[in-house]
Amino acid sequence: MPKSTFFNLPQAKRERITELAIEEFSERPYHRASLTRLVARAGIAKGSVYQYFDDKLDLYRWLLTEEVPRRKLAHLRAEAEAAPPTSLRGFLRQAVLSGVRFMLANPRLSQLAAAVTMPTDDPELRALYAEVLAQGHAGFTTMLRGMVQAGQLRDDVDPELAARVIASVLGIGLRDIVLGQLGVDMLALLREPSMAERLDDAALERLVDGVLTILVDGLAPPP
Amino acid sequence: MPKSTFFNLPQAKRERITELAIEEFSERPYHRASLTRLVARAGIAKGSVYQYFDDKLDLYRWLLTEEVPRRKLAHLRAEAEAAPPTSLRGFLRQAVLSGVRFMLANPRLSQLAAAVTMPTDDPELRALYAEVLAQGHAGFTTMLRGMVQAGQLRDDVDPELAARVIASVLGIGLRDIVLGQLGVDMLALLREPSMAERLDDAALERLVDGVLTILVDGLAPPP
Amino acid sequence: MPKSTFFNLPQAKRERITELAIEEFSERPYHRASLTRLVARAGIAKGSVYQYFDDKLDLYRWLLTEEVPRRKLAHLRAEAEAAPPTSLRGFLRQAVLSGVRFMLANPRLSQLAAAVTMPTDDPELRALYAEVLAQGHAGFTTMLRGMVQAGQLRDDVDPELAARVIASVLGIGLRDIVLGQLGVDMLALLREPSMAERLDDAALERLVDGVLTILVDGLAPPP
Amino acid sequence: MPKSTFFNLPQAKRERITELAIEEFSERPYHRASLTRLVARAGIAKGSVYQYFDDKLDLYRWLLTEEVPRRKLAHLRAEAEAAPPTSLRGFLRQAVLSGVRFMLANPRLSQLAAAVTMPTDDPELRALYAEVLAQGHAGFTTMLRGMVQAGQLRDDVDPELAARVIASVLGIGLRDIVLGQLGVDMLALLREPSMAERLDDAALERLVDGVLTILVDGLAPPP
DNA sequence: CATGAATGAGGTTTCATTCAT
DNA sequence: CATGAATGAAACCTCATTCAT
């Protein structure tokens, strides 16, 4: 957790530092991200980072467990439809759409969140990643269990298994699909977010429906 | 590509170096992997690495584009059934089973291959990852296109999209699923491969069939 | 010297700061002691230290030249026997006993006082240490000169030399002896002062008499 | 222990580095000694130190446990008289004389050796100091035990206690006495070793005999 | 008299790569 | 083809001190 120092900062300064930190950590794996570069860009002294955070990991952890979820939630709330979906298709459609839109609107946060699936030898980092992953997985499983009880999910499917499959498709899968459609790699999108606009609404709908069909109805042709 | 000096090496030495390189690069992200540590374990001189390879990236590229595919192919061949599958279910079943078995038998290679989905700011590394990803994707797409023509795949599904969905499930998805079942993280499995045996054949069948059902028949209950 | 602000402080606050300063400076060499840690423990602002003292050295100097001697003197007074000793043996016995008891009762002060024998490259620190050392030496020499005149000390011994020998034995020597008997190192004693109780009165008497015999009668067997 | 790299160095270079390391570590407490300064003076790259030693502590440990004892032994051998002393007085005289001469001839080594009596909060450093101290103490005790058996030592004196008393006198005590006679502090002597010459042979004899008398015959006047 | 954010120098350590032998 | 010493940039982190409020 950041120290109180950080929260006492003038909002503008705090937000600039936050934004630059997100920039720094989203463009590189944790150990390549550099506080030296961060402070140089932020125009603050090196020691100041240690006034705000315990250390590099503390800053990173805050981004991952607080700032990213906070912004993701804000995005979800803003997008939430009047009536929450009740069908499996509706639920998944909202999840997929929301996932894609969030990624296109906030590639950096999306990238940060994706980093937790990366393997690493650093024990502390691994613990952090495991914690974040477990949280996300638990949420998915709970939702799917509800679907099963409502008869929305075929009963020969293990909800936990389904959760992992969906999670991988919505996570890495969607990222690759969207980037493939855009014809750029992630870093290019991070540095030029306006590229997201290349994907118009029609294309996005086609994409989402395609993924939806696969997840809901399967790959096999209808009998 | 390795220099000729590397291939002129006594086979035993070359293989030991290869094995240790796989160990080093599979346990950490590229920039955390250390040639210093590699040569220390291999008992060779630091300069020798530069006799065999242009630089660190050259060694890594060789592992990723030559050594890993070579071993993967060998694994596939060894597992290939007499009659290649003709149905979608059969084809996917073989792909999923093969994927899981390969991962359990060769966690290090599996891990190496998974690294290409990691984002990085290093331009050369990015180019390498993009190349490897494209190759894998092309293979999948080709196979699926054949399935479409054979009427095995529902015709309202874009083969390229399906390829990405399947790839993500077979890649990150399966890894997480298996690790979840084993109750360990990747590094633990790398360092203690015998943990794979905890997953007996019955459990593995259940797991594969579960994933298969989702992919082939979808998540929705049959009408 | 502390500024007037320090002495204007509520007694409780001043004493808490003093106690924590003694703790901080007794556990580490001067340059490893950290004002940052001190204020964190004391729950005061960093700047406050500079309201009370000129700088780090000023605080340290005050401890060494004022606070430690003040407490040492208080200890001596409390222990002083009705009749001050007149014989060499009596005088030394009181000195040795007092030294040991003070150390066991106040390991932190004892440790602080011992630090002045440490070499350092810091010129200001060196000056401080030299001053403290000279004071102590002067006191000893004066007392021994008196003994010589009273015929208590053998006349072929230079009082100044004897002062230094006694000082080293009562300083570093006793510390090592006591710690050796306790079977702990200094830091352990600082952090767990109750360890001092392991040395019961009988053992302490034996120890003191042993040292006394050596100093008074020498190491050689009586003729 | 230094790496083989260090011992493979050209002798001149190795000795220059050794000398500068002794200089650096003798003038300041361990944590103030700076590898940055050392390499700057030695004219070598920062990384080179880590080719020769594991880390800062490894270098320091080598100085303390290998290089200093080696040179001390060489000094002792060079000074050893034809006939080893058999009486307590003879034994102590040689010890005292040797101690003083070594200190005057090698103030830096003497200072290094004295550092082990300094308290520190660094756990690794404490372990190192404890080890060195224990070695020295064991040697002294053994010698004194022999004296007891030969009837050279009064039998009402605990050899272990006597060892500590003598050690403190020969250690810190002698250092202070000599420095007091020279009228300089340790750092001054380190930086201008020729100051040692101010103490001519006669003065040195007087000093040694004074300390000897105190230790052997005690402070009390003969009956 | 209190506060605590800002500073920036300085510390140790790791690393890929070069090059002379 | 092997060797391994040398290099120096870059990393994270700690600290005493200042100063505006």
Side-chain angles (χ1 to χ4, degrees), chain A residues 100 103-104 173-185 189 195-200 202-211, chain B residues 137 158-165:
Chain A
V100 174
M103 186 203 150
L104 289 175
L174 263 185
R175 197 192 68 180
D176 287 355
I177 291 168
V178 170
L179 290 178
Q181 292 280 345
L182 287 175
V184 299
D185 67 6
L189 179 60
M195 278 176 172
E197 297 160 12
R198 283 200 213 156
L199 208 66
D200 58 30
L204 199 138
E205 292 277 338
R206 270 199 310 279
L207 191 153
V208 167
D209 282 329
V211 175
Chain B
H137 180 60
D158 174 16
E160 197 160 335
L161 197 64
R164 289 199 192 273
V165 168

Tab-separated table of all heavy atoms in Angstrom, chain A residues 100 103-104 173-185 189 195-200 202-211, chain B residues 137 158-165:
chain	number	residue	atom	x	y	z
A	100	VAL	N	-13.812	-6.435	-24.424
A	100	VAL	CA	-13.216	-5.853	-25.628
A	100	VAL	C	-13.176	-4.340	-25.532
A	100	VAL	O	-12.167	-3.697	-25.830
A	100	VAL	CB	-14.008	-6.279	-26.876
A	100	VAL	CG1	-13.471	-5.549	-28.092
A	100	VAL	CG2	-13.921	-7.769	-27.067
A	103	MET	N	-10.607	-3.089	-23.123
A	103	MET	CA	-9.264	-3.240	-23.658
A	103	MET	C	-8.951	-2.171	-24.693
A	103	MET	O	-7.851	-1.623	-24.722
A	103	MET	CB	-9.126	-4.620	-24.289
A	103	MET	CG	-7.712	-4.876	-24.714
A	103	MET	SD	-7.662	-6.122	-26.002
A	103	MET	CE	-6.191	-5.554	-26.854
A	104	LEU	N	-9.936	-1.878	-25.535
A	104	LEU	CA	-9.703	-0.861	-26.565
A	104	LEU	C	-9.615	0.537	-25.947
A	104	LEU	O	-8.848	1.383	-26.410
A	104	LEU	CB	-10.819	-0.903	-27.603
A	104	LEU	CG	-10.774	-2.155	-28.497
A	104	LEU	CD1	-11.975	-2.201	-29.423
A	104	LEU	CD2	-9.479	-2.172	-29.300
A	173	GLY	N	-6.973	-14.644	-25.093
A	173	GLY	CA	-7.622	-14.883	-26.377
A	173	GLY	C	-8.127	-13.606	-27.014
A	173	GLY	O	-7.739	-13.266	-28.136
A	174	LEU	N	-8.938	-12.895	-26.279
A	174	LEU	CA	-9.498	-11.671	-26.839
A	174	LEU	C	-8.422	-10.673	-27.223
A	174	LEU	O	-8.523	-9.998	-28.242
A	174	LEU	CB	-10.453	-11.032	-25.832
A	174	LEU	CG	-11.925	-11.351	-26.057
A	174	LEU	CD1	-12.785	-10.583	-25.091
A	174	LEU	CD2	-12.321	-11.011	-27.493
A	175	ARG	N	-7.432	-10.570	-26.375
A	175	ARG	CA	-6.357	-9.635	-26.666
A	175	ARG	C	-5.733	-9.957	-28.024
A	175	ARG	O	-5.568	-9.080	-28.883
A	175	ARG	CB	-5.283	-9.727	-25.565
A	175	ARG	CG	-4.347	-8.536	-25.552
A	175	ARG	CD	-3.148	-8.801	-24.662
A	175	ARG	NE	-2.283	-9.835	-25.218
A	175	ARG	CZ	-1.171	-10.256	-24.656
A	175	ARG	NH1	-0.789	-9.761	-23.497
A	175	ARG	NH2	-0.438	-11.170	-25.228
A	176	ASP	N	-5.437	-11.238	-28.225
A	176	ASP	CA	-4.807	-11.625	-29.479
A	176	ASP	C	-5.751	-11.408	-30.647
A	176	ASP	O	-5.340	-10.956	-31.718
A	176	ASP	CB	-4.394	-13.103	-29.413
A	176	ASP	CG	-3.203	-13.286	-28.506
A	176	ASP	OD1	-2.665	-12.275	-28.036
A	176	ASP	OD2	-2.818	-14.438	-28.263
A	177	ILE	N	-7.017	-11.746	-30.432
A	177	ILE	CA	-7.985	-11.586	-31.514
A	177	ILE	C	-8.089	-10.126	-31.940
A	177	ILE	O	-7.987	-9.789	-33.120
A	177	ILE	CB	-9.364	-12.103	-31.052
A	177	ILE	CG1	-9.306	-13.630	-30.900
A	177	ILE	CG2	-10.447	-11.718	-32.050
A	177	ILE	CD1	-10.502	-14.227	-30.182
A	178	VAL	N	-8.262	-9.260	-30.968
A	178	VAL	CA	-8.405	-7.842	-31.288
A	178	VAL	C	-7.143	-7.296	-31.931
A	178	VAL	O	-7.190	-6.592	-32.954
A	178	VAL	CB	-8.742	-7.046	-30.014
A	178	VAL	CG1	-8.652	-5.561	-30.291
A	178	VAL	CG2	-10.125	-7.412	-29.513
A	179	LEU	N	-6.010	-7.623	-31.356
A	179	LEU	CA	-4.757	-7.147	-31.939
A	179	LEU	C	-4.602	-7.689	-33.355
A	179	LEU	O	-4.141	-6.975	-34.260
A	179	LEU	CB	-3.565	-7.565	-31.059
A	179	LEU	CG	-3.467	-6.852	-29.711
A	179	LEU	CD1	-2.286	-7.375	-28.906
A	179	LEU	CD2	-3.311	-5.349	-29.916
A	180	GLY	N	-4.995	-8.947	-33.531
A	180	GLY	CA	-4.910	-9.527	-34.880
A	180	GLY	C	-5.781	-8.754	-35.857
A	180	GLY	O	-5.354	-8.432	-36.964
A	181	GLN	N	-6.979	-8.432	-35.445
A	181	GLN	CA	-7.867	-7.669	-36.308
A	181	GLN	C	-7.297	-6.289	-36.617
A	181	GLN	O	-7.414	-5.778	-37.728
A	181	GLN	CB	-9.238	-7.506	-35.625
A	181	GLN	CG	-10.013	-8.799	-35.499
A	181	GLN	CD	-10.719	-9.170	-36.799
A	181	GLN	OE1	-10.861	-8.348	-37.691
A	181	GLN	NE2	-11.130	-10.433	-36.899
A	182	LEU	N	-6.697	-5.687	-35.595
A	182	LEU	CA	-6.124	-4.356	-35.795
A	182	LEU	C	-4.829	-4.431	-36.593
A	182	LEU	O	-4.396	-3.449	-37.210
A	182	LEU	CB	-5.847	-3.681	-34.438
A	182	LEU	CG	-7.075	-3.196	-33.673
A	182	LEU	CD1	-6.669	-2.663	-32.310
A	182	LEU	CD2	-7.780	-2.105	-34.459
A	183	GLY	N	-4.226	-5.569	-36.579
A	183	GLY	CA	-2.977	-5.732	-37.317
A	183	GLY	C	-1.790	-5.053	-36.650
A	183	GLY	O	-0.833	-4.655	-37.314
A	184	VAL	N	-1.842	-4.891	-35.338
A	184	VAL	CA	-0.704	-4.289	-34.623
A	184	VAL	C	-0.346	-5.163	-33.437
A	184	VAL	O	-1.099	-6.061	-33.066
A	184	VAL	CB	-1.054	-2.881	-34.098
A	184	VAL	CG1	-1.393	-1.954	-35.253
A	184	VAL	CG2	-2.203	-2.956	-33.118
A	185	ASP	N	0.772	-4.894	-32.843
A	185	ASP	CA	1.068	-5.608	-31.608
A	185	ASP	C	0.706	-4.725	-30.418
A	185	ASP	O	0.363	-3.549	-30.563
A	185	ASP	CB	2.516	-6.089	-31.556
A	185	ASP	CG	3.492	-4.933	-31.469
A	185	ASP	OD1	3.043	-3.787	-31.329
A	185	ASP	OD2	4.697	-5.181	-31.547
A	189	LEU	N	-0.194	-0.506	-29.816
A	189	LEU	CA	-1.487	0.007	-29.356
A	189	LEU	C	-1.322	0.862	-28.103
A	189	LEU	O	-1.954	1.919	-27.962
A	189	LEU	CB	-2.443	-1.153	-29.069
A	189	LEU	CG	-3.833	-0.756	-28.561
A	189	LEU	CD1	-4.543	0.120	-29.581
A	189	LEU	CD2	-4.664	-1.989	-28.237
A	195	MET	N	-5.277	3.931	-32.386
A	195	MET	CA	-5.394	2.830	-33.335
A	195	MET	C	-6.655	2.007	-33.086
A	195	MET	O	-7.161	1.332	-33.988
A	195	MET	CB	-4.197	1.896	-33.201
A	195	MET	CG	-2.967	2.376	-33.957
A	195	MET	SD	-1.609	1.246	-33.627
A	195	MET	CE	-0.396	1.882	-34.801
A	196	ALA	N	-7.132	2.074	-31.862
A	196	ALA	CA	-8.304	1.287	-31.511
A	196	ALA	C	-9.499	1.679	-32.376
A	196	ALA	O	-10.396	0.874	-32.631
A	196	ALA	CB	-8.634	1.465	-30.032
A	197	GLU	N	-9.477	2.923	-32.854
A	197	GLU	CA	-10.614	3.418	-33.623
A	197	GLU	C	-10.729	2.763	-34.996
A	197	GLU	O	-11.753	2.888	-35.670
A	197	GLU	CB	-10.516	4.935	-33.754
A	197	GLU	CG	-10.602	5.627	-32.399
A	197	GLU	CD	-10.023	7.031	-32.455
A	197	GLU	OE1	-9.771	7.535	-33.570
A	197	GLU	OE2	-9.812	7.620	-31.373
A	198	ARG	N	-9.652	2.105	-35.397
A	198	ARG	CA	-9.714	1.406	-36.679
A	198	ARG	C	-10.797	0.324	-36.682
A	198	ARG	O	-11.266	-0.084	-37.727
A	198	ARG	CB	-8.373	0.710	-36.939
A	198	ARG	CG	-7.282	1.646	-37.407
A	198	ARG	CD	-6.215	0.805	-38.081
A	198	ARG	NE	-4.891	1.368	-37.874
A	198	ARG	CZ	-3.796	0.681	-37.934
A	198	ARG	NH1	-3.851	-0.628	-38.168
A	198	ARG	NH2	-2.624	1.252	-37.760
A	199	LEU	N	-11.114	-0.129	-35.483
A	199	LEU	CA	-12.106	-1.201	-35.388
A	199	LEU	C	-13.484	-0.576	-35.188
A	199	LEU	O	-13.856	-0.220	-34.074
A	199	LEU	CB	-11.744	-2.107	-34.209
A	199	LEU	CG	-12.203	-3.564	-34.312
A	199	LEU	CD1	-11.481	-4.270	-35.444
A	199	LEU	CD2	-11.950	-4.279	-32.997
A	200	ASP	N	-14.236	-0.460	-36.267
A	200	ASP	CA	-15.529	0.203	-36.139
A	200	ASP	C	-16.531	-0.716	-35.455
A	200	ASP	O	-16.267	-1.885	-35.195
A	200	ASP	CB	-16.046	0.667	-37.496
A	200	ASP	CG	-16.184	-0.488	-38.471
A	200	ASP	OD1	-16.445	-1.619	-38.004
A	200	ASP	OD2	-16.003	-0.264	-39.666
A	202	ALA	N	-19.288	-2.083	-36.379
A	202	ALA	CA	-19.740	-3.259	-37.118
A	202	ALA	C	-18.742	-4.402	-36.952
A	202	ALA	O	-19.107	-5.537	-36.619
A	202	ALA	CB	-19.918	-2.915	-38.602
A	203	ALA	N	-17.466	-4.081	-37.156
A	203	ALA	CA	-16.434	-5.104	-37.041
A	203	ALA	C	-16.432	-5.679	-35.626
A	203	ALA	O	-16.279	-6.893	-35.418
A	203	ALA	CB	-15.065	-4.510	-37.374
A	204	LEU	N	-16.600	-4.792	-34.680
A	204	LEU	CA	-16.571	-5.231	-33.294
A	204	LEU	C	-17.737	-6.173	-32.999
A	204	LEU	O	-17.592	-7.174	-32.301
A	204	LEU	CB	-16.628	-3.999	-32.391
A	204	LEU	CG	-16.170	-4.192	-30.959
A	204	LEU	CD1	-15.315	-3.011	-30.512
A	204	LEU	CD2	-17.355	-4.348	-30.039
A	205	GLU	N	-18.887	-5.855	-33.551
A	205	GLU	CA	-20.046	-6.715	-33.339
A	205	GLU	C	-19.800	-8.089	-33.961
A	205	GLU	O	-20.077	-9.130	-33.359
A	205	GLU	CB	-21.292	-6.082	-33.998
A	205	GLU	CG	-21.779	-4.804	-33.345
A	205	GLU	CD	-22.670	-5.103	-32.134
A	205	GLU	OE1	-23.229	-6.208	-32.050
A	205	GLU	OE2	-22.759	-4.220	-31.250
A	206	ARG	N	-19.293	-8.085	-35.162
A	206	ARG	CA	-19.006	-9.356	-35.834
A	206	ARG	C	-18.059	-10.193	-34.997
A	206	ARG	O	-18.253	-11.383	-34.784
A	206	ARG	CB	-18.360	-9.089	-37.202
A	206	ARG	CG	-19.341	-8.964	-38.352
A	206	ARG	CD	-18.637	-9.174	-39.689
A	206	ARG	NE	-17.441	-8.369	-39.842
A	206	ARG	CZ	-17.442	-7.075	-40.198
A	206	ARG	NH1	-18.579	-6.456	-40.430
A	206	ARG	NH2	-16.311	-6.428	-40.328
A	207	LEU	N	-17.059	-9.539	-34.485
A	207	LEU	CA	-16.050	-10.230	-33.686
A	207	LEU	C	-16.670	-10.834	-32.427
A	207	LEU	O	-16.478	-12.013	-32.112
A	207	LEU	CB	-14.968	-9.220	-33.329
A	207	LEU	CG	-13.662	-9.693	-32.728
A	207	LEU	CD1	-12.563	-8.700	-33.066
A	207	LEU	CD2	-13.787	-9.838	-31.223
A	208	VAL	N	-17.414	-10.016	-31.739
A	208	VAL	CA	-18.017	-10.489	-30.502
A	208	VAL	C	-18.981	-11.636	-30.773
A	208	VAL	O	-18.971	-12.656	-30.063
A	208	VAL	CB	-18.752	-9.335	-29.787
A	208	VAL	CG1	-19.645	-9.884	-28.690
A	208	VAL	CG2	-17.748	-8.343	-29.230
A	209	ASP	N	-19.773	-11.491	-31.793
A	209	ASP	CA	-20.729	-12.553	-32.088
A	209	ASP	C	-20.015	-13.836	-32.476
A	209	ASP	O	-20.465	-14.933	-32.149
A	209	ASP	CB	-21.688	-12.101	-33.192
A	209	ASP	CG	-22.741	-11.162	-32.638
A	209	ASP	OD1	-23.104	-11.332	-31.448
A	209	ASP	OD2	-23.187	-10.240	-33.354
A	210	GLY	N	-18.926	-13.683	-33.169
A	210	GLY	CA	-18.158	-14.874	-33.537
A	210	GLY	C	-17.684	-15.613	-32.295
A	210	GLY	O	-17.882	-16.829	-32.136
A	211	VAL	N	-17.077	-14.892	-31.408
A	211	VAL	CA	-16.566	-15.537	-30.191
A	211	VAL	C	-17.726	-16.125	-29.391
A	211	VAL	O	-17.652	-17.243	-28.868
A	211	VAL	CB	-15.776	-14.525	-29.329
A	211	VAL	CG1	-15.364	-15.149	-28.017
A	211	VAL	CG2	-14.565	-14.021	-30.092
B	137	HIS	N	-0.164	-19.585	-35.395
B	137	HIS	CA	-1.497	-19.207	-35.825
B	137	HIS	C	-1.784	-19.702	-37.246
B	137	HIS	O	-2.873	-20.224	-37.540
B	137	HIS	CB	-1.650	-17.696	-35.755
B	137	HIS	CG	-2.995	-17.223	-36.177
B	137	HIS	ND1	-4.152	-17.614	-35.547
B	137	HIS	CD2	-3.391	-16.402	-37.193
B	137	HIS	CE1	-5.187	-17.049	-36.138
B	137	HIS	NE2	-4.752	-16.312	-37.149
B	158	ASP	N	-15.850	-17.937	-38.314
B	158	ASP	CA	-14.642	-17.550	-39.052
B	158	ASP	C	-13.480	-18.432	-38.608
B	158	ASP	O	-13.136	-18.464	-37.426
B	158	ASP	CB	-14.340	-16.082	-38.748
B	158	ASP	CG	-13.028	-15.638	-39.365
B	158	ASP	OD1	-12.531	-16.346	-40.256
B	158	ASP	OD2	-12.503	-14.590	-38.936
B	159	PRO	N	-12.884	-19.183	-39.525
B	159	PRO	CA	-11.809	-20.102	-39.130
B	159	PRO	C	-10.674	-19.394	-38.404
B	159	PRO	O	-10.107	-19.927	-37.451
B	159	PRO	CB	-11.318	-20.656	-40.474
B	159	PRO	CG	-12.427	-20.410	-41.435
B	159	PRO	CD	-13.146	-19.189	-40.970
B	160	GLU	N	-10.376	-18.192	-38.849
B	160	GLU	CA	-9.268	-17.479	-38.210
B	160	GLU	C	-9.606	-17.152	-36.748
B	160	GLU	O	-8.788	-17.298	-35.846
B	160	GLU	CB	-8.968	-16.200	-38.978
B	160	GLU	CG	-7.612	-15.621	-38.635
B	160	GLU	CD	-7.151	-14.675	-39.742
B	160	GLU	OE1	-7.601	-14.838	-40.889
B	160	GLU	OE2	-6.331	-13.800	-39.427
B	161	LEU	N	-10.842	-16.735	-36.559
B	161	LEU	CA	-11.292	-16.448	-35.202
B	161	LEU	C	-11.260	-17.729	-34.364
B	161	LEU	O	-10.748	-17.746	-33.226
B	161	LEU	CB	-12.713	-15.897	-35.248
B	161	LEU	CG	-13.204	-15.164	-34.002
B	161	LEU	CD1	-12.371	-13.926	-33.795
B	161	LEU	CD2	-14.677	-14.792	-34.168
B	162	ALA	N	-11.778	-18.768	-34.924
B	162	ALA	CA	-11.784	-20.035	-34.200
B	162	ALA	C	-10.358	-20.464	-33.853
B	162	ALA	O	-10.089	-20.969	-32.755
B	162	ALA	CB	-12.461	-21.110	-35.053
B	163	ALA	N	-9.464	-20.231	-34.781
B	163	ALA	CA	-8.069	-20.600	-34.539
B	163	ALA	C	-7.537	-19.876	-33.301
B	163	ALA	O	-6.876	-20.463	-32.436
B	163	ALA	CB	-7.217	-20.266	-35.760
B	164	ARG	N	-7.865	-18.604	-33.207
B	164	ARG	CA	-7.359	-17.848	-32.055
B	164	ARG	C	-8.011	-18.305	-30.757
B	164	ARG	O	-7.365	-18.382	-29.714
B	164	ARG	CB	-7.600	-16.357	-32.266
B	164	ARG	CG	-6.692	-15.773	-33.335
B	164	ARG	CD	-6.600	-14.263	-33.224
B	164	ARG	NE	-5.977	-13.705	-34.411
B	164	ARG	CZ	-4.659	-13.567	-34.549
B	164	ARG	NH1	-3.858	-13.957	-33.565
B	164	ARG	NH2	-4.143	-13.073	-35.647
B	165	VAL	N	-9.292	-18.591	-30.838
B	165	VAL	CA	-9.974	-19.051	-29.628
B	165	VAL	C	-9.364	-20.383	-29.171
B	165	VAL	O	-8.991	-20.561	-28.000
B	165	VAL	CB	-11.479	-19.218	-29.878
B	165	VAL	CG1	-12.125	-19.974	-28.721
B	165	VAL	CG2	-12.138	-17.864	-30.062
